[in-house]
């Protein structure tokens, strides 16, 4: 069973919006991926060891309210661990960042970004150097 969606809101005022991009500010993709990674650690209780297949569909402006939805990816026999067993190899999880309808000129409701991530096995400690 997948955890419930996570509500995310990008701050209106942040130093990173000033330069990315002047005149048309948006949230850098690296910041969105970091938010997804942190939300996954909280939702699943395991470190993220890999992010893959990330696709950005729309720019995400400051102040945007969105939902992060977890998806079960299609079965891939070569991936091992898709079954989600806690004693097996890392587990693959799909994600989708969806914008809430905005009346203030923000992005239209729909997909902002999507991708996959791999979680560390439950029985091992994973550290990044």
């Amino acid at each position: 069973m997948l955890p419930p969606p996570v509500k995310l809101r990008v701050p209106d005022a942040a130093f990173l919006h000033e330069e990315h991009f002047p005149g048309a500010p948006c949230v850098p993709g690296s910041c969105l991926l970091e938010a997804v990674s942190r939300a996954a650690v909280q939702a699943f209780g395991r470190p993220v060891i890999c992010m893959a297949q990330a696709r950005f569909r729309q720019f995400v402006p400051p102040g945007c309210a969105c939902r992060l939805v977890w998806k079960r990816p299609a079965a891939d026999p070569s991936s091992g661990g898709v079954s989600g067993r806690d004693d097996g190899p890392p587990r693959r999880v799909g994600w989708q960042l969806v914008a809430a309808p905005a009346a203030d000129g923000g992005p239209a409701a729909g997909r902002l970004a999507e991708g996959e991530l791999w979680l560390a096995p439950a029985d091992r400690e994973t550290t990044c150097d």
Side-chain angles (χ1 to χ4, degrees):
M1 183 175 202
L2 294 172
V6 177
K7 291 181 183 179
L8 298 175
R9 182 163 182 84
V10 178
D12 287 323
F15 71 94
L16 53 94
H17 299 145
E18 295 170 8
E19 298 295 323
H20 195 82
F21 297 101
C26 69
V27 179
S30 60
C31 293
L32 294 175
L33 293 178
E34 179 65 21
V36 170
S37 179
R38 289 181 183 199
V41 169
Q42 286 184 336
F44 295 97
R46 300 184 196 174
V48 174
I49 59 173
C50 177
M51 296 203 62
Q53 307 294 324
R55 292 173 294 283
F56 300 97
R57 303 291 184 181
Q58 297 181 48
F59 288 111
V60 180
C64 180
C66 31
R67 285 181 306 125
L68 177 59
V69 180
W70 307 112
K71 303 278 186 178
R72 197 168 301 282
D76 178 3
S78 67
S79 68
V82 173
S83 65
R85 292 185 354 222
D86 286 344
D87 60 347
R91 191 171 135 182
R92 217 173 82 193
V93 177
W95 59 269
Q96 197 172 69
L97 191 62
V98 181
D104 60 354
R111 290 183 297 171
L112 298 172
E114 60 197 359
E116 293 180 356
L117 55 84
W118 287 82
L119 299 168
D123 60 347
R124 289 191 217 143
E125 251 183 65
T126 304
T127 59
C128 297
D129 295 327

